[in-house]
Amino acid sequence: MKLISTRGSWEGSEAPGHLRSAVLGGLAPDGGLYLPAAIPALSPEEFERLRDVVGFREVARIAAHRLLGNSLSADVIDWCVESGLDFEVPIVQLDERTWVMEVFRGPTGSFKDVGARFLAHLLSHFRGPGAERIVVLVATSGDTGGAVARAVEGLPGVQAMVLYPKGRISSTQLHHITTRSMAAQRQADGGSAPSDHVFPGVVPVAVQGSFDDCQHMVKTILGEGSPVPGMAVTSANSVNLGRLLPQSFFHVHGSVHTPGQGELLVSVPSANLGNLTSAIIAQRMGAPLHRLVGATNANAALPHFLETGELPGGESRATLSNAMDVARPSNLERLLSLEGGDRAALSRRVLATTHSDEETLQAMRHIHETHGYLADPHTAVGWLGLKTAEARGDRTPRRLVVSTADPAKFPETVRRATGVNPTVRSAWLAELGAGAERIPAVELPPTPDALRELIREIPPGD
């Protein structure tokens, strides 16, 4: 796989081992984001196999071998899929035209488990000379931090430093970041491996600012390189190609396993735009996705850019769909690069919509009353994107909402909208229950200097 930069001033490389450099380094040498120079397409025979297989994991295996087979051995790909993607992605019908793909059935009730767990296994595989210790920097507006914290458990030499905006994530999301799972505690207390290699550690960092501040801190450090010899500093946000590419697997899954005939319209709840970018990568692999909806909350960075051509700026606004509270989405660079810098071409591929908190609550209420389905606020924004497409004349025979979070992660909002107390559908509750060990957070001002000093001070994991 030849990799290029979104900024074009780095000519790219297909040298052996360059995927390792991209995954460990995060950003391209010119400060841009990595992308494949060419995205390999699935063959007709592979699509026939995909339609016949049962389960998301087997779809992911076939897609991963096609996408990464020139850069990784078959054994490594199989290990990343088997060990990392050990959960299902069911597709649930709402009405005769509409389905919901529940990409939140993993360990933290978020779609980000897919990319984070695959990436964590890649990091473990790539650990070695010059990267004896790997520190994963994570800026999170809600779900990514918990997903990465769980993903690195049990992987030797990999440590996660999770930056979140203090007071602006839900109590459940905070619990995921600041709690060691019961499984990790059991391993550390008597597992087969030495405890100092079982749970390398999560460092929760409460930033006195916004998600965009957290993201700026992480990108600054990544651009500088590791401040400690023998340590590789990388990111598990979707700026990292190793986090982004695996998300295309569930879009391939949705494209071939949504029931019915005819074209498929897919609505993706969108914020930092990694999920939407991975959907376009799946399209480029040949996945039969007719058109995409990039559904946003009141932050509306993508709709504003497509309408005006102005790059997003300013501060993010707090909303009920808080994992989407992003004012300056990093992956806009990738979206434009995939379209050759053509904003009009991107507008033709993606319908960008924006929805308020009040609309979100009304949608959650309507979906429950009409279909008996509990949707979290992010999924409700995705459903609203479909309704906007329909109001603008779209008559695609099949419609799919990418459901990105377990509604049980937002119990107050779900109760407010529906009067129902949501039950957990994903795997996280038992592992983060009573008796789980809490990890104290470090509080920092919103500056790269503060993060740089913290990296130097924090010792290797437990």
Side-chain angles (χ1 to χ4, degrees), residues 183-204:
Q185 288 175 231
R186 288 192 296 269
Q187 282 184 297
D189 292 341
S192 58
S195 62
D196 63 340
H197 289 299
V198 171
F199 185 80
V202 175
V203 182

Side-chain angles (χ1 to χ4, degrees), residues 233-423:
V233 176
T234 189
S235 172
N237 288 89
S238 55
V239 296
N240 192 314
L241 191 67
R243 216 312 282 286
L244 181 83
L245 293 180
Q247 294 179 170
S248 65
F249 304 160
F250 58 74
H251 289 292
V252 172
H253 172 64
S255 75
V256 297
H257 283 156
T258 299
Q261 301 295 320
E263 293 176 326
L264 180 67
L265 177 69
V266 178
S267 182
V268 183
S270 299
N272 210 26
L273 305 179
N275 198 353
L276 188 61
T277 303
S278 63
I280 293 176
I281 290 172
Q283 277 187 323
R284 297 291 178 87
M285 293 178 70
L289 307 175
H290 165 55
R291 196 183 183 200
L292 300 169
V293 178
T296 72
N297 62 22
N299 285 282
L302 180 62
H304 179 75
F305 171 75
L306 292 181
E307 182 178 344
T308 67
E310 297 175 359
L311 290 175
E315 293 298 318
S316 58
R317 298 169 57 184
T319 74
L320 296 177
S321 49
N322 65 345
M324 296 160 61
D325 291 349
V326 180
R328 302 187 293 273
S330 294
N331 285 290
L332 183 57
E333 273 193 48
R334 279 192 172 117
L335 288 177
L336 277 174
S337 183
L338 285 167
E339 298 295 342
D342 189 338
R343 177 167 59 95
L346 182 58
S347 294
R348 289 191 293 271
R349 187 181 296 274
V350 178
L351 169 64
T353 66
T354 181
H355 309 284
S356 68
D357 276 353
E358 185 54 39
E359 289 177 286
T360 300
L361 290 170
Q362 291 173 1
M364 293 170 70
R365 187 176 304 116
H366 174 84
I367 293 168
H368 182 251
E369 291 177 350
T370 305
H371 306 295
Y373 185 85
L374 282 181
D376 86 290
H378 307 79
T379 302
V381 170
W383 182 86
L384 285 164
L386 288 184
K387 300 304 289 184
T388 299
E390 183 177 30
R392 296 182 185 181
D394 185 90
R395 295 295 179 264
T396 307
R398 295 183 300 153
R399 310 182 302 181
L400 181 67
V401 180
V402 180
S403 182
T404 57
D406 191 327
K409 297 183 75 172
F410 306 92
E412 298 88 353
T413 303
V414 172
R415 283 194 296 268
R416 178 180 168 188
T418 68
V420 175
N421 193 41
T423 57

Side-chain angles (χ1 to χ4, degrees), residues 71-84:
S71 301
L72 297 169
S73 72
D75 287 345
V76 169
I77 291 173
D78 288 344
W79 175 64
C80 290
V81 172
E82 283 292 323
S83 299

